[in-house]
Amino acid sequence: MAGVLASVDSRTQLVGQNRLELLMFKLHSQQLFAINVFKVQEVLRLPKLVNLPGHHPHVVGVAHLRGQTVPVINLAQAIGMPPLQPGEASNLIVTEYNSTVQAFLVGAVDRIVNLNWEDIMPPPRTTGRQHYLTAITRLENQIIEIIDVEKVLAEINPYAVLVDTSSLEAELLAAAKDMEILMVDDSPTAISQVRQALEPLGITLHTATNGKNGLNQLKAWAADGEQVPEKLLMLITDAEMPEMDGYSLTTAVRQDPQLKDLFVVLHTSMSGNFNKAMVEKVGCDDFLSKFQPKLLAALVEKRIREKIGQA
């Protein structure tokens, strides 16, 4: 499988085209699951695992990969299914999220497919596994379930989201209470984390679950006579979203005369080096790796100072 993973250079060609690549795999049955290839470092046969004392129940051990100790998560168990038993047919998907490297224990690895984000839909609001799905799609008459890896990782290693505002001067805190931010993200986990981080500042947080909805909201404000770049302190957008991704959303914002001056922050768990390159390509103003509450707060503080003339 190592040869099937495209290089970062080739993946960047998808950016701005509202396309993505999914790595598909199986757990227990013939049901296909997927994650975005952007987050995958490599796929390999299950190596020898070393037990990790005091580990989380979903962590089956650690693997030593090229001098790096990588925790291995039983993905089936983490999304509420019976644990996958490691065996000869097992594989590891090694990923990078939020600047950390971890591997997921899976069954058979199927293939990589190139799709349009318009074909990626939110999961149905039903009971069951959808709690751990960020999206679904259909391929060759089969439903593909795209796993909300951010939620899985947040449950295994919860992020600290409290931000200390005691050092901020009263003028800054007073100004923050009149500020508004639009966050566009399909992950309830990510939205909750940002909301908690911004809550001590009193900033109003508007949300949309994909780029299409976010763009519609921006255009609706503009149609109502709002000066959107002045109304919003910033637009915070995820990269991966159903229907329209964050890169395409940013491109659309830059092409709209009423929105083009909006301050746009790419906020994603994908590889930092990759996204820093994409910030320049699609015209974002800044990049934040999920989830770094102190860095988010620092950027918000900087923007508030610019707004009130303290920059």
Side-chain angles (χ1 to χ4, degrees):
M1 281 298 296
V4 80
L5 297 179
S7 68
V8 167
D9 286 342
S10 65
R11 292 179 213 165
T12 61
Q13 302 307 310
L14 300 177
V15 171
Q17 301 179 24
N18 209 36
R19 300 191 68 83
L20 79 160
E21 289 180 318
L22 292 177
L23 173 63
M24 301 193 302
F25 56 90
K26 299 176 183 177
L27 294 174
H28 289 290
S29 63
Q30 294 304 306
Q31 172 62 46
L32 283 171
F33 297 89
I35 61 174
N36 195 315
V37 171
F38 281 178
K39 299 179 180 179
V40 177
Q41 289 191 343
E42 63 178 316
V43 178
L44 65 156
R45 286 291 187 181
L46 180 65
K48 181 180 179 180
L49 300 182
V50 178
N51 187 43
L52 185 66
H55 61 76
H56 189 279
H58 297 163
V59 177
V60 294
V62 296
H64 296 291
L65 306 175
R66 283 170 293 285
Q68 186 174 19
T69 300
V70 178
V72 177
I73 297 167
N74 194 316
L75 188 54
Q77 185 178 10
I79 64 172
M81 301 173 68
L84 190 66
Q85 298 303 316
E88 293 184 0
S90 300
N91 289 278
L92 286 189
I93 300 177
V94 184
T95 66
E96 181 182 355
Y97 284 81
N98 304 332
S99 302
T100 65
V101 176
Q102 52 281 307
F104 295 102
L105 174 68
V106 302
V109 173
D110 188 80
R111 56 186 152 145
I112 286 175
V113 293
N114 186 313
L115 299 174
N116 194 307
W117 272 112
E118 293 177 354
D119 299 324
I120 310 298
M121 303 302 296
R125 297 301 177 189
T126 58
T127 57
R129 223 169 23 240
Q130 70 87 21
H131 189 53
Y132 287 94
L133 301 183
T134 189
I136 62 170
T137 191
R138 183 180 292 274
L139 185 68
E140 298 172 357
N141 296 319
Q142 185 172 1
I143 295 294
I144 313 299
E145 299 185 351
I146 304 171
I147 294 177
D148 187 350
V149 179
E150 291 173 5
K151 179 175 176 60
V152 170
L153 295 178
E155 291 184 350
I156 293 174
N157 185 25
Y159 299 105
V161 296
L162 295 179
V163 175
D164 183 8
T165 60
S166 60
S167 62
L168 299 181
E169 57 262 39
E171 182 183 3
L172 200 71
L173 288 173
K177 296 185 186 305
D178 294 325
M179 301 293 180
E180 301 176 55
I181 289 174
L182 173 62
M183 180 176 181
V184 184
D185 201 306
D186 64 325
S187 170
T189 300
I191 290 176
S192 176
Q193 290 169 341
V194 169
R195 190 181 300 280
Q196 290 180 63
L198 295 179
E199 189 172 12
L201 294 171
I203 292 175
T204 298
L205 183 66
H206 306 279
T207 63
T209 55
N210 61 56
K212 184 177 180 180
N213 291 344
L215 184 60
N216 288 341
Q217 177 62 78
L218 292 170
K219 288 187 173 183
W221 280 326
D224 287 340
E226 299 267 18
Q227 299 297 317
V228 180
E230 295 301 318
K231 173 184 176 65
L232 295 179
L233 185 66
M234 64 179 66
L235 164 66
I236 300 175
T237 179
D238 188 17
E240 301 176 83
M241 293 177 289
E243 298 191 67
M244 176 186 282
D245 66 21
Y247 305 119
S248 298
L249 170 60
T250 303
T251 299
V253 165
R254 295 300 181 230
Q255 292 175 345
D256 189 311
Q258 294 179 290
L259 305 176
K260 63 183 180 65
D261 295 326
L262 186 59
F263 191 92
V264 181
V265 179
L266 188 67
H267 185 241
T268 171
S269 56
M270 293 200 289
S271 167
N273 290 333
F274 172 80
N275 278 301
K276 287 174 183 176
M278 292 308 96
V279 162
E280 296 183 5
K281 180 169 182 176
V282 301
C284 294
D285 294 287
D286 214 324
F287 162 78
L288 281 175
S289 179
K290 293 181 180 177
F291 184 70
Q292 306 283 342
K294 291 183 179 179
L295 294 180
L296 172 62
L299 180 58
V300 168
E301 179 184 346
K302 178 183 175 183
R303 286 290 297 146
I304 293 174
R305 290 188 186 281
E306 291 172 351
K307 284 282 191 180
I308 64 177
Q310 285 190 4

